[in-house]
Amino acid sequence: MRVLVTGLIGGIVMFVWGVAAHMALGLGNVGIQLPVGENAVLGSLHDGLGAQPGIYILPSLDTKKMGDEAVLKAYSEKAATSPYAFVVYQPQGEDMMQMGPQIGRQWASDTLAALALAFMLGLAGLGFRRRVALAAAAAVFAWLCTMVPYWNWYRFPLDFTLAALVEQLVGWLLAGAAMAWWLGRSERKLAG
């Protein structure tokens, strides 16, 4: 029960921080640009990408042709001279202003992450500062495992990648402090 309550506290703190980071500080928009010709791009997506939702990397290379030297050479030349795009594509859009389902999924994600961290913090048997340090280390670990590979392999903008580090590190420091406080409080109650 102690870990469950700790995880719920951490999830709430992380969710509230995420709202502040995105809405008040704008960290979620760092590196995201507005297109010059949005309607032209949107109009070409169906013709260029078809009806299959998914992730598209442009220019593309068919992995089945990785053994063909001529295909690799042509791709290499095209990649060196063409624009690059990493596109998350849905042929049928949805109203991004109807955020209820997204907000629910984000809260669930924050809470599940906080429950995993609460489990680790509860096992650690550490004091307040070390538990907060462990929360910070977990944030940096997650960032290094996800955002840095996106920057490296998929060319996510560096400012976007660094803003994600700030968002995660500050958020998990705040959540980690609340969680460490709660764990220490409940440990003192058990000892008393």
Side-chain angles (χ1 to χ4, degrees):
M1 183 59 118
R2 175 175 78 108
V3 169
L4 179 64
V5 171
T6 302
L8 290 173
I9 289 169
I12 291 167
V13 171
M14 190 63 189
F15 181 79
V16 170
W17 161 250
V19 170
H22 283 252
M23 302 302 287
L25 301 176
L27 285 175
N29 294 324
V30 172
I32 297 175
Q33 305 297 325
L34 292 174
V36 175
E38 179 175 332
N39 290 335
V41 173
L42 287 173
S44 69
L45 286 176
H46 279 286
D47 291 340
L49 300 179
Q52 184 65 37
I55 295 173
Y56 292 84
I57 298 174
L58 303 167
S60 296
L61 174 63
D62 185 349
T63 55
K64 296 174 191 150
K65 297 180 180 178
M66 293 283 286
D68 186 331
E69 290 297 323
V71 169
L72 290 178
K73 185 176 187 296
Y75 172 76
S76 184
E77 290 170 4
K78 186 177 184 179
T81 59
S82 296
Y84 169 85
F86 180 94
V87 180
V88 178
Y89 176 65
Q90 294 180 353
Q92 178 59 47
E94 63 181 73
D95 184 355
M96 295 294 285
M97 299 313 297
Q98 302 301 317
M99 294 186 273
Q102 291 170 297
I103 289 170
R105 288 189 297 265
Q106 186 62 51
W107 180 82
S109 172
D110 289 340
T111 302
L112 290 172
L115 283 168
L117 183 59
F119 178 73
M120 289 189 296
L121 294 177
L123 286 178
L126 302 170
F128 178 82
R129 284 183 293 189
R130 288 191 175 164
R131 282 182 169 145
V132 173
L134 184 59
V140 172
F141 173 81
W143 177 79
L144 287 169
C145 291
T146 54
M147 292 308 299
V148 171
Y150 288 166
W151 165 78
N152 181 44
W153 293 105
Y154 302 120
R155 298 171 181 88
F156 277 36
L158 182 60
D159 55 352
F160 178 87
T161 305
L162 294 175
L165 173 62
V166 171
E167 181 183 347
Q168 293 300 306
L169 184 57
V170 171
W172 287 111
L173 279 170
L174 293 171
M179 295 164 75
W181 171 80
W182 180 261
L183 284 171
R185 179 181 171 275
S186 61
E187 288 168 354
R188 286 188 296 278
K189 268 186 165 178
L190 289 173

